Amino acid sequence: MPINHVTLPTNNFDATVDFMSRVLELPVAEHPTNVPMRTAWFEVAQGQSIHVVEVAELGPINNEREFGRHVALSFPHARWLRIKNQLERAGFKIIAPLRESKTSRFFVYDPNGYCFELVLD
């Protein structure tokens, strides 16, 4: 059973949308127009999306790294390398995994402090 979507609230809407669209290269998906705050939906796979919702009073996000709350996305090799290079050039800190795995991966925090794991597909 696939996950339909994940919602990430943000009080830094423009930076979050830029991170998702420009840095992670996620395509923008259609979303309803009857939501009372700014929203952007991004397609991660057929029928699966990440919803970004602007929330002014967002509490602190606890940076829990690999064993805490995070979103993991898989990318083909060329795109994975391109995104990693873009993140480094933009000043994002690339975080190495705490444990070894069969697949190359790294972690990065978005402008809100959400942890993303980028896995080589």
Side-chain angles (χ1 to χ4, degrees):
M1 168 183 340
I3 292 174
N4 182 277
H5 71 272
V6 173
T7 298
L8 300 178
T10 178
N11 57 9
N12 194 347
F13 186 80
D14 295 328
T16 303
V17 168
D18 181 66
F19 179 81
M20 300 294 238
S21 62
R22 187 182 56 79
V23 179
L24 295 184
E25 301 177 354
L26 299 177
V28 175
E30 287 188 40
H31 63 282
T33 58
N34 62 346
V35 181
M37 69 276 293
R38 293 201 302 171
T39 63
W41 292 11
F42 298 92
E43 186 175 336
V44 293
Q46 180 65 34
Q48 299 176 339
S49 58
I50 293 176
H51 300 177
V52 174
V53 179
E54 185 174 47
V55 176
E57 299 293 327
L58 185 63
I61 297 170
N62 186 5
N63 295 333
E64 298 169 332
R65 292 190 59 185
E66 181 172 346
F67 297 109
R69 293 169 281 195
H70 66 275
V71 176
L73 301 172
S74 297
F75 295 95
H77 188 263
R79 186 172 172 195
W80 185 84
L81 282 175
R82 184 174 62 246
I83 290 171
K84 185 176 183 184
N85 290 333
Q86 286 179 164
L87 287 164
E88 290 172 329
R89 281 193 309 273
F92 287 91
K93 181 181 177 187
I94 302 299
I95 303 164
L98 297 173
R99 64 178 178 82
E100 292 184 29
S101 67
K102 295 177 183 177
T103 306
S104 294
R105 61 201 178 98
F106 64 89
F107 295 83
V108 65
Y109 292 110
D110 84 342
N112 301 288
Y114 290 119
C115 185
F116 281 81
E117 177 180 5
L118 281 68
V119 181
L120 180 60
D121 192 11

